[in-house]
């Protein structure tokens, strides 16, 4: 109400102020961690009705700026892979910061207690149901494309279905590998997972991090390292073959397309929820 109303309408003063409208499909931020000046992760409350398969994504976001003419706000929503496993009581997300990005320029400033919009309709192709049975699974990621694999690495079915789990993660700098490295290291001491999946389940994991710009223990693009045979030698494994190998890909568009070509050249076929095969790629993700 304006100042004149406040002075003349004493009856209105007795009325309680209207509560600030909550965001549609609102969930509360429970934790935020900034890993580098380009990357951060955060956790939010989980809708009681939400059921999802590890590896799927949902639409999340914030309200946009008011329209200069109408003053109305529209939600800014983007597809984000859920980085927490299907059994977790909260939802975790891993994000890049784009300073002039419509959503991430705002999202990177969220704090514990803030609210975000979360549309509880999970979808995605990076799920076990889209793959035929195999002996070894490869998770290929660049940048924040590690997120769905953060979920799948904590999913009991991953270790029930496969004898070996290889996760490759290619980033520009060593600091950008920290989120994935710390998550994988934490599995060794995760009492719940060791109890549910089996003591020492994490020994099935072979982690292969590489950088493309900053000096690190292993330099190079994973596609080049596979093509040269160096990756197989480093990992002590046989080359990809459709009889035993299954794969999931989540990275930037050029990376996805190059790996698709490589997998198909090795004889692997692309699968889907409706028609399981040897590999799947997340088309919704853009690093």
């Amino acid at each position: 109400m304006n100042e004149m109303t406040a002075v003349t309408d004493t009856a209105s003063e007795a009325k309680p102020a209207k509560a600030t409208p909550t965001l549609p499909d609102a969930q509360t931020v429970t934790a935020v961690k900034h890993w580098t000046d380009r990357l951060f992760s955060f956790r939010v409350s989980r809708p009681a009705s939400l059921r999802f398969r590890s590896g799927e994504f949902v639409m999340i976001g914030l309200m946009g700026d008011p329209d200069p003419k109408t003053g109305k706000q529209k939600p800014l929503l983007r597809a984000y892979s859920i980085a927490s496993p299907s059994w977790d009581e909260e939802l975790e997300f891993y994000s890049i910061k784009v300073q002039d990005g419509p959503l991430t320029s705002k999202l990177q400033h969220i704090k514990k207690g803030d609210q975000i919009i979360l549309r509880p309709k999970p979808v995605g192709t990076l799920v076990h149901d889209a793959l035929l049975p195999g002996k070894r699974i490869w998770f290929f990621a660049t940048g924040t494309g590690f997120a769905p694999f953060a979920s799948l690495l904590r999913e009991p079915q991953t270790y029930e279905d496969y004898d070996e789990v290889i996760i490759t993660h290619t980033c520009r700098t060593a600091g950008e590998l920290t989120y994935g490295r710390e998550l994988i290291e934490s599995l060794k001491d995760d009492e719940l997972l060791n109890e549910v999946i089996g003591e020492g389940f994490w020994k099935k994991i072979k982690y292969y991090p590489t950088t493309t710009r900053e000096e690190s223990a292993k330099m190079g693009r994973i596609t080049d390292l596979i093509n040269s045979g160096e990756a197989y030698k480093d990992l002590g494994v046989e080359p990809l073959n459709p009889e035993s190998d299954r794969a999931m890909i989540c990275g930037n568009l050029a990376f996805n397309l190059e790996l698709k070509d490589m997998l198909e050249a090795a004889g692997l076929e692309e699968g889907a929820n409706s028609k399981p095969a040897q590999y799947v790629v997340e088309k919704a993700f853009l690093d």
Side-chain angles (χ1 to χ4, degrees):
M1 56 189 171
N2 59 33
E3 289 184 44
M4 183 64 72
T5 308
V7 172
T8 59
D9 188 359
T10 55
S12 68
E13 292 179 12
K15 294 179 182 177
K18 284 187 177 180
T20 305
T22 182
L23 294 173
D25 295 318
Q27 296 301 320
T28 303
V29 177
T30 60
V32 182
K33 182 165 183 176
H34 294 269
W35 298 90
T36 71
D37 58 357
R38 294 183 68 248
L39 300 167
F40 71 109
S41 62
F42 57 98
R43 293 176 70 84
V44 304
S45 55
R46 177 174 177 168
S49 61
L50 178 63
R51 299 289 179 271
F52 71 95
R53 296 173 295 175
S54 293
E56 289 188 312
F57 66 86
V58 289
M59 302 297 289
I60 67 172
L62 297 167
M63 296 303 290
D65 294 328
D67 184 282
K69 294 181 179 178
T70 65
K72 291 183 178 180
Q73 291 176 279
K74 291 182 179 179
L76 289 169
L77 299 172
R78 296 289 185 273
Y80 269 75
S81 292
I82 303 172
S84 46
S86 61
W87 51 264
D88 202 319
E89 294 179 355
E90 294 183 335
L91 300 177
E92 183 177 330
F93 298 96
Y94 184 43
S95 179
I96 194 169
K97 304 175 190 178
V98 181
Q99 300 311 321
D100 57 354
L103 176 58
T104 59
S105 61
K106 300 174 183 293
L107 194 63
Q108 65 182 290
H109 300 298
I110 58 171
K111 302 181 297 296
K112 184 178 179 179
D114 288 349
Q115 290 187 333
I116 68 162
I117 302 167
L118 190 150
R119 296 283 163 82
K121 295 179 180 177
V123 290
T125 55
L126 300 185
V127 292
H128 288 306
D129 295 344
L131 294 175
L132 293 169
K135 292 183 179 179
R136 180 173 63 187
I137 189 163
W138 294 74
F139 295 147
F140 294 106
T142 62
T144 53
F146 188 90
F149 305 133
S151 175
L152 287 157
L153 285 167
R154 292 178 279 184
E155 168 57 53
Q157 187 181 346
T158 300
Y159 305 94
E160 293 166 7
D161 289 358
Y162 299 97
D163 298 331
E164 201 167 35
V165 180
I166 300 175
I167 170 78
T168 79
H169 191 199
T170 301
C171 294
R172 297 176 181 88
T173 67
E176 293 174 351
L177 295 167
T178 308
Y179 173 80
R181 185 185 70 249
E182 289 194 2
L183 185 144
I184 290 170
E185 288 175 353
S186 74
L187 297 178
K188 300 175 183 179
D189 301 316
D190 192 311
E191 292 182 6
L192 175 63
L193 284 178
N194 275 281
E195 183 179 337
V196 173
I197 302 172
E199 198 71 34
F201 74 93
W202 46 270
K203 293 177 183 177
K204 287 187 175 185
I205 300 171
K206 290 192 173 183
Y207 173 48
Y208 196 66
T210 73
T211 57
T212 56
R213 291 187 186 175
E214 186 180 51
E215 192 72 29
S216 70
K218 177 57 65 172
M219 298 283 294
R221 299 164 71 243
I222 186 61
T223 46
D224 293 339
L225 294 165
I226 286 176
N227 281 329
S228 70
E230 190 173 339
Y232 298 131
K233 184 179 179 182
D234 291 339
L235 289 163
V237 298
E238 294 297 314
L240 287 156
N241 82 79
E243 296 301 315
S244 59
D245 287 297
R246 302 294 174 260
M248 295 186 180
I249 308 168
C250 192
N252 60 61
L253 185 58
F255 171 79
N256 290 357
L257 293 174
E258 187 175 2
L259 256 176
K260 272 170 60 77
D261 288 344
M262 289 171 59
L263 293 177
E264 290 183 1
L268 281 71
E269 294 182 9
E270 185 171 2
N273 281 281
S274 57
K275 189 182 178 184
Q278 284 91 22
Y279 82 90
V280 285
V281 57
E282 188 52 84
K283 298 176 177 68
F285 176 80
L286 288 175
D287 182 19

